[in-house]
């Protein structure tokens, strides 16, 4: 039997397989394409043995391009540092594996230029469809995809003027649930702390749910505080200003964090001011993170069904890839409230979470660290 001599960097080709097996390239191609009826039992066994001996692996990209199918799906995320993106990715990968697809991930870093570059790169690989968690400001590239009827499913963030399916959290109801919980626990002066709202529908939805819940409380006071996480100390400054504005309120104060990254910065800011929750301030955060039960007395959260969001988004995308042309669909999943001590009831305790108490402590008083 002849032996193939090759280096570790050489890639075995169909021509080499045919030569080693003593058959034509057409026979090898038929074998790889599953056309077994066109080959004798002897030829099938001979080709199969040669492929295994040489370690031949067909190029899925080349086969896909030849047949018009690459079985590649692109996924663009606005910020891979956001734990939400990683958690959704797990669900998306699982769905791809179930259906025999490969997922290609691009991180745009909330940057419009990188987003365009990533779209071009994925297009060059002939992906069959796209999951898109957009930065929300530049819509021209996506409108072009829509005009070309290219399959796209949006993750969590809507894009005005783009007729794509969307899968994500029911942000309005989740924020309403979170705010109503804080109100029921006796908190009256509540700040929703979010990254800039402009162009990001998920943040706008959370603000809408927050305001709806606050409107139902006659004695409540709600403010939306926009923060820039790339500016060191900005979260602490914004919180301190909010506490000062509520200095003369007789109510109880709480913070609702708009996502996991904001949650971390809030926890650090409170620590820098030597404020504890729930003694000084109530706290409830969007996103259940690994450290949520461990910080202080445990942080109450709204847990997003991130795995289900990723899995459902891929399955919806595959429906579009397979030719469905029905009207745009939104699949909004429910969040789950996880109640811990950071948002415990203060209604029956005259000393907890008082607005006036915080003002005194950040003005120079002392307090135990978180």
């Amino acid at each position: 039997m002849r032996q193939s001599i090759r280096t570790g960097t050489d890639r075995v080709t169909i021509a080499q397989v045919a030569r080693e097996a003593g058959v034509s390239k057409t026979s090898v191609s038929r074998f790889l394409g599953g056309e077994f009826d066109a080959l004798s039992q002897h030829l099938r066994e001979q080709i199969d043995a040669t492929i295994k001996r040489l370690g031949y692996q067909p190029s899925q990209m080349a086969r896909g391009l030849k047949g018009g199918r690459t079985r590649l799906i692109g996924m663009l995320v606005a910020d891979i540092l956001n734990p939400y993106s990683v958690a959704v990715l797990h669900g998306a990968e699982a769905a791809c594996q179930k259906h025999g697809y490969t997922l290609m991930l691009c991180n745009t870093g909330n940057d419009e230029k990188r987003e365009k570059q990533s779209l071009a790169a994925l297009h060059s690989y002939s992906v069959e469809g796209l999951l898109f968690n957009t930065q929300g400001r530049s819509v021209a590239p996506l409108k072009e995809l829509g005009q070309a009827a290219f399959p796209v499913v949006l993750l969590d963030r809507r894009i005005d003027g783009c007729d794509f399916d969307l899968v994500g959290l029911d942000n309005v109801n989740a924020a309403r649930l979170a705010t109503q919980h804080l109100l029921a626990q006796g908190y009256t002066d509540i700040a929703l702390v979010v990254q800039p709202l402009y162009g990001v529908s998920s943040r706008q939805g959370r603000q809408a749910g927050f305001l709806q819940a606050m409107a139902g409380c006659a004695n409540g006071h709600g403010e939306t505080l926009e923060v820039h996480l790339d500016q060191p100390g900005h979260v602490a400054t914004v919180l301190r200003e909010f506490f000062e504005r509520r200095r003369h309120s007789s109510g109880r104060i709480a913070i609702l964090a708009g996502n996991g990254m904001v949650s971390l910065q809030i926890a650090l800011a409170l620590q820098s001011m030597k404020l504890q929750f729930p003694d000084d301030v109530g706290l409830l955060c969007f996103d259940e993170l690994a450290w949520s039960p461990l910080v202080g007395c445990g942080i109450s959260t709204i847990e997003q069904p991130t795995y289900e969001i990723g899995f459902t988004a891929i399955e919806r995308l595959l429906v579009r890839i397979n030719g469905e042309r029905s009207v745009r669909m939104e699949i909004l999943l429910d969040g789950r409230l996880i109640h811990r001590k950071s948002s415990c009831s203060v209604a029956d305790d005259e000393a907890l979470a008082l607005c006036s108490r915080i003002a005194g402590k950040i003005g120079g008083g002392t307090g135990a660290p978180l």
Side-chain angles (χ1 to χ4, degrees), residues 6 14 29 64 79 92 159 162 187 191 196 234 271 292 315 319:
R6 56 194 175 93
I14 287 181
S29 296
D79 186 2
I159 301 178
C162 293
Y187 299 96
H234 190 247
Q271 185 179 57
S292 299
E315 296 212 312
V319 169

Side-chain angles (χ1 to χ4, degrees), residues 2 25 104 125 186-187 206 228 366:
R2 288 173 291 178
K25 290 195 294 182
M104 301 183 68
Y125 281 99
Y187 299 96
R206 292 175 192 182
H228 298 276
T366 59

Side-chain angles (χ1 to χ4, degrees), residues 128-131 145 148-153 164 317 320-322 325:
E128 295 186 27
L130 185 67
L131 291 190
L145 291 176
F150 185 80
V152 175
V153 170
F164 297 127
L317 182 60
R320 294 298 189 184
I321 288 173
N322 291 326
R325 294 292 180 265

Side-chain angles (χ1 to χ4, degrees), residues 21-43:
V23 300
S24 68
K25 290 195 294 182
T26 300
S27 295
V28 176
S29 296
R30 286 174 175 171
F31 178 87
L32 294 171
E35 301 177 40
F36 301 130
D37 292 342
L39 303 170
S40 68
Q41 177 70 24
H42 173 71
L43 280 181

Side-chain angles (χ1 to χ4, degrees), residues 45-159:
E45 292 176 353
Q46 193 168 329
I47 294 170
D48 184 53
T50 304
I51 286 174
K52 290 177 180 177
R53 178 166 57 84
L54 296 181
Y56 173 74
Q57 293 183 338
S59 169
Q60 296 300 322
M61 176 70 73
R63 294 176 67 188
L65 290 173
K66 182 178 179 181
R69 300 293 297 270
T70 62
R71 303 197 75 80
L72 296 175
I73 288 176
M75 181 175 178
L76 269 73
V77 297
D79 186 2
I80 196 62
L81 296 179
N82 191 327
Y84 170 87
S85 300
V86 178
V88 170
L89 175 62
H90 288 166
E93 283 185 320
C96 283
Q97 290 176 3
K98 174 184 174 182
H99 295 284
Y101 279 77
T102 299
L103 192 66
M104 301 183 68
L105 177 68
C106 290
N107 173 41
T108 68
N110 280 303
D111 181 82
E112 184 177 324
K113 182 178 179 181
R114 286 175 61 183
E115 189 172 277
K116 292 179 180 178
Q117 292 172 341
S118 296
L119 279 171
L122 291 173
H123 178 72
S124 72
Y125 281 99
S126 299
V127 295
E128 295 186 27
L130 185 67
L131 291 190
F132 202 90
N133 179 236
T134 175
Q135 46 81 22
R137 289 177 288 277
S138 176
V139 300
L142 282 177
K143 284 186 176 180
E144 292 173 2
L145 291 176
Q147 292 168 357
F150 185 80
V152 175
V153 170
L154 303 178
L155 289 168
D156 200 46
R157 299 178 179 181
R158 297 180 184 88
I159 301 178

